[in-house]
Amino acid sequence: MQHIFLESHNIKNQHFGFGQFNYHLIKGLYNANIEGFKITLHAKDTHVLKEEFGTYFNYKKYYSLRRHKAFRIRKKYDLWHCLNQNIKIEPHYDMPYLLTVHDVNFIDEVSSDLNHERNIKFQNKLNRSTAITYISDYAKQSTHQYFKVPNVPEFVIYNGNPIIDIEIPENHKPKLTSKKPYLFSIGEFTERKNFHTLVEMLALLPEYNLILSGNNNTGYASATLQNTIKKLKLESRVIITGKISELDKQYYMQNCEGFVFPSLREGFGIPPIEAMRFGKPVFLSNNTSLPEIGGEHAFYWNHFESTYMAKVLKDGLNTFNKNKTKFSQNYVKHAKSFNWNNAAKQYIEVYKSILFKK
């Protein structure tokens, strides 16, 4: 029996991308009913995982002390899978090591100096890797652009769409809703998500409101975003919900006029394909991974000047509404092509290629 360790402690926060990735990959591995090796999950709350997955996995409780070299996990596994590039937990001993890279946005957000501590840590992860998986071609290309990638097997495995079946109760309605047609977006309120450009665009679209969801307890939310809302006197038309439930998210996606996502940097970008599952027109930044993930039927902004953004949105909605059935069908088909069970099976093949390498 081969033993695999999943460094999965980010599963604790599923309001963020890493937490979503951890949970849905683990669920996909569970659904795959793997034989021949046993997986150990690393998490702070192992009780919740045991309730859902039972004895299918082994479990190891996460402690923050394990970030420090003296307290690293000493058990030797046949394979250690580091589930994202930011993880500080490392094995005590050398062992086969699979690294999953979501993005190298820290080059722009922290420092482009390769001698910076953040970049050195990532380079060390690359150096110890037996194989590397990326969640998009863009993530692979940008890693090669900035770092020295070792000559090891590399794989691009797309994330799945968390929304497979739409099951919103007929009587379900979020506390905050819009009385007029609205545009919707979701994500952590940071400079990278670029939400204030949506507010500037909204000033030119009096027929719509804007609903923004996600963690808004940030400096960007209280400064740049709020200042833009106040400056344009749009307090009554911009609805900020904070973090929301899965049902609320699906409600907003199902009932919005369009999903808007002007993010500056994405390693993948799950919300757009979630919105496509509802057959909704999707408007995205034409940069980083978003054209790769959004596909040919999404509408794209090449820059963020408000008049231009408003025109792209109006033209896109007109195009969509002229052939709504066809566009919706294409969106749903595209969204369903991203499947977590298929992604998990691809990771299993990578595990096998390392574990049973001759």
Side-chain angles (χ1 to χ4, degrees):
M1 178 70 71
Q2 302 285 306
H3 292 273
I4 301 172
F5 183 84
L6 259 60
E7 209 315 287
S8 52
H9 80 273
N10 284 135
I11 198 172
K12 66 182 180 292
N13 194 339
Q14 292 181 36
H15 286 287
F16 295 89
F18 288 149
Q20 285 280 303
F21 175 86
N22 279 239
Y23 174 74
H24 289 290
L25 175 58
I26 287 168
K27 190 172 182 179
L29 294 171
Y30 174 79
N31 291 337
N33 195 22
I34 307 164
E35 295 181 356
F37 45 86
K38 190 76 172 182
I39 294 176
T40 296
L41 305 182
H42 193 213
K44 186 174 182 180
D45 189 354
T46 58
H47 177 72
V48 173
L49 295 174
K50 286 178 183 177
E51 283 189 340
E52 182 168 1
F53 302 117
T55 59
Y56 181 82
F57 297 109
N58 290 334
Y59 304 90
K60 192 169 187 68
K61 189 169 178 62
Y62 165 81
Y63 297 99
S64 60
L65 275 175
R66 291 198 172 121
R67 297 181 176 191
H68 303 289
K69 194 170 184 179
F71 299 96
R72 286 180 176 176
I73 294 171
R74 293 176 179 267
K75 181 175 178 178
K76 276 195 171 183
Y77 292 88
D78 297 296
L79 173 61
W80 180 290
H81 185 180
C82 179
L83 291 184
N84 78 66
Q85 71 281 346
N86 295 332
I87 288 172
K88 296 178 181 178
I89 305 291
E90 298 287 4
H92 179 79
Y93 297 107
D94 287 335
M95 62 184 72
Y97 187 95
L98 174 63
L99 172 64
T100 293
V101 178
H102 296 245
D103 61 63
V104 292
N105 290 335
F106 47 85
I107 283 286
D108 295 308
E109 297 171 353
V110 180
S111 174
S112 60
D113 180 3
L114 294 183
N115 292 317
H116 188 278
E117 180 184 7
R118 180 67 190 80
N119 296 329
I120 290 173
K121 285 182 177 179
F122 179 63
Q123 184 64 60
N124 288 338
K125 281 183 174 291
L126 292 171
N127 293 343
R128 79 181 302 166
S129 297
T130 307
I132 305 168
T133 57
Y134 303 90
I135 65 170
S136 64
D137 282 317
Y138 168 76
K140 179 180 179 180
Q141 292 164 7
S142 55
T143 301
H144 278 263
Q145 178 181 351
Y146 295 109
F147 294 92
K148 296 178 181 179
V149 179
N151 184 22
V152 299
E154 298 177 273
F155 308 86
V156 173
I157 303 176
Y158 288 134
N159 294 341
N161 189 341
I163 301 176
I164 300 172
D165 299 315
I166 300 171
E167 298 179 350
I168 308 173
E170 290 185 12
N171 61 348
H172 180 81
K173 196 171 186 179
K175 291 181 179 179
L176 296 174
T177 57
S178 174
K179 292 182 179 180
K180 64 165 61 175
Y182 67 90
L183 308 171
F184 178 60
S185 194
I186 187 170
E188 186 175 13
F189 287 44
T190 62
E191 170 270 336
R192 177 164 65 93
K193 295 302 182 184
N194 208 22
F195 283 160
H196 70 281
T197 64
L198 296 176
V199 177
E200 293 169 345
M201 177 185 71
L202 189 72
L204 304 174
L205 300 168
E207 64 269 43
Y208 299 110
N209 282 345
L210 173 65
I211 297 179
L212 298 175
S213 296
N215 175 30
N216 63 323
N217 186 25
T218 66
Y220 172 82
S222 60
T224 303
L225 184 61
Q226 284 298 331
N227 290 343
T228 305
I229 293 170
K230 290 177 181 177
K231 177 183 176 182
L232 297 173
K233 299 179 180 179
L234 294 175
E235 290 91 342
S236 64
R237 294 179 53 211
V238 179
I239 302 164
I240 296 176
T241 68
K243 295 179 182 179
I244 56 175
S245 68
E246 181 65 24
L247 280 178
D248 282 359
K249 179 178 71 174
Q250 291 195 24
Y251 176 94
Y252 289 134
M253 287 183 171
Q254 187 176 62
N255 293 283
C256 70
E257 295 298 306
F259 183 81
V260 285
F261 202 69
S263 179
L264 299 175
R265 294 177 293 276
E266 293 291 331
F268 185 85
I270 286 178
I273 61 169
E274 290 182 314
M276 287 183 182
R277 178 62 185 85
F278 295 85
K280 294 296 179 174
V282 168
F283 297 83
L284 308 172
S285 305
N286 191 19
N287 57 29
T288 66
S289 68
L290 291 174
E292 178 185 351
I293 304 305
E296 62 178 322
H297 298 294
F299 301 97
Y300 295 96
W301 291 302
N302 294 320
H303 58 82
F304 305 106
E305 191 276 322
S306 56
T307 302
Y308 162 78
M309 289 182 71
K311 184 178 187 306
V312 169
L313 186 121
K314 286 181 178 179
D315 290 348
L317 288 176
N318 285 335
T319 299
F320 173 83
N321 287 321
K322 285 178 182 177
N323 204 343
K324 190 171 184 178
T325 300
K326 183 178 179 180
F327 266 92
S328 291
Q329 288 174 347
N330 286 333
Y331 279 133
V332 173
K333 182 179 178 181
H334 185 68
K336 287 183 176 181
S337 71
F338 296 92
N339 183 284
W340 272 114
N341 288 336
N342 292 340
K345 290 175 183 177
Q346 292 178 66
Y347 278 99
I348 291 168
E349 291 305 308
V350 175
Y351 295 162
K352 290 179 179 178
S353 72
I354 298 171
L355 290 169
F356 306 120
K357 184 178 179 182
K358 295 182 180 179

